[in-house]
Amino acid sequence: MSSLRSIALSAAVLTGVVLSLSACGGDGQQGIPTETTPAPTTQNTSTQSTSTQSSTTAAQSPTTTLTPPPGPAVGDVPGNPQATSALRAFVTDLQAGGVPAVTPPCWTVPPSEIALQYADVPSILDAAAAPGVDGQYAVTWTGPVSTVSIKRSDITSGYACPRIYPTGTAPAYSDVDAEYTVERYLGRFTGAPVNPDDLEGDYPLVCENRAIWDPQGTGAPTAPPLANNPGRLTGSASYNPESVYVASTDGVYKTVYADVTNVSGFEQNQVFTLTIAANGYCIGDVA
């Protein structure tokens, strides 16, 4: 009996020792661990590098500032930047050198009219700085005193010599304009154009081939006769500038006379009929 008690007591002591050793092992926690060791953080070095590089590039990129074109201010024309550029070429010369500076390039304007048209430089510059308006036949800039108007043909050339007229009025064409139109036309056929660039394809002087011609007032307009025969005066050798003058005016039509000599030496008085068109006066008939 004492032997069985001794065995039982020994077994109990051994079990206690084992439990005590288990409790002292590990990290001091008892039972099943409840904390999880966090996974190491992996940084995306590629993304960080790209972001840093972009930030550095953005910081180093210079700020782009649009520099206005040289010369006086010219108002923009929506949808027609060529018009703005063509007028700017003119007003730059006008501001720098006045009437003498623009006289040579403005050969489309009657020489006697240039000083009258362009004398008031400040009012022209004021008008040019206003916004431009693209109309049916011309582009205009309107200032407080003067209005500036340029033709399609001048826009195409890149240097626009404008017509100047008081703001609030309509542009007016004079006898001088009509006579100069005939002089330019005759100069082309006689080998003495007012300028080598004065060609029909670039600067039309013949009326368009449309049913707009009715100098007799019949109410039934037709195409201008010269439009179907623009080389009517081919074979002309010379003309007398002193003979060119406006003989009559009938509404929008003007009759201009000029003495023309052909290659055979025969001189004849030619009768030109003109009317107003998109580019000023145009010639619709020669008789």
Side-chain angles (χ1 to χ4, degrees), residues 137 151 173 206-208 210 212 252 275-283:
Y137 298 116
K151 299 179 293 187
Y173 292 91
V206 177
C207 297
E208 293 182 72
R210 297 189 294 119
I212 59 171
V252 296
T275 191
I276 297 293
N279 291 308
Y281 275 110
C282 69
I283 305 172

Side-chain angles (χ1 to χ4, degrees), residues 180-266:
Y180 191 58
T181 299
V182 172
E183 290 176 9
R184 288 175 59 192
Y185 181 78
L186 289 171
R188 295 174 180 178
F189 281 96
T190 58
V194 297
N195 187 281
D197 293 331
D198 194 14
L199 304 173
E200 181 67 21
D202 298 325
Y203 300 92
L205 297 178
V206 177
C207 297
E208 293 182 72
N209 192 1
R210 297 189 294 119
I212 59 171
W213 193 253
D214 189 19
Q216 305 303 322
T218 64
T222 62
L226 194 61
N228 293 313
N229 185 19
R232 167 79 171 74
L233 293 183
T234 299
S236 300
S238 64
Y239 76 98
N240 180 6
E242 299 298 324
S243 70
V244 181
Y245 73 98
V246 173
S248 64
T249 301
D250 184 6
V252 296
Y253 295 92
K254 284 187 182 294
T255 300
V256 178
Y257 288 174
D259 294 335
V260 182
T261 302
N262 63 21
V263 292
S264 300
F266 178 74

Side-chain angles (χ1 to χ4, degrees), residues 9 20 27 44 56 67 77 100 117 121 123 127 129 132 145-146 154 162 164 183 244 247 262:
L9 181 61
S20 176
D27 58 359
N44 190 334
T56 303
T67 303
V77 182
Q117 287 278 315
V121 176
S123 73
V145 175
S146 298
D154 283 341
I164 312 298
E183 290 176 9
V244 181
N262 63 21

Side-chain angles (χ1 to χ4, degrees), residues 10-21:
S10 298
V13 171
L14 180 61
T15 300
V17 171
V18 171
L19 291 175
S20 176
L21 290 175

Side-chain angles (χ1 to χ4, degrees), residues 12-86:
V13 171
L14 180 61
T15 300
V17 171
V18 171
L19 291 175
S20 176
L21 290 175
S22 297
C24 292
D27 58 359
Q29 291 181 330
Q30 294 184 4
I32 299 174
T34 57
E35 293 184 5
T36 305
T37 303
T41 302
T42 303
Q43 185 174 11
N44 190 334
T45 57
S46 175
T47 303
Q48 182 183 22
S49 175
T50 302
S51 176
T52 303
Q53 183 178 3
S54 299
S55 300
T56 303
T57 303
Q60 294 177 348
S61 298
T63 301
T64 302
T65 303
L66 295 177
T67 303
V74 177
D76 290 334
V77 182
N80 194 348
Q82 293 85 0
T84 303
S85 177

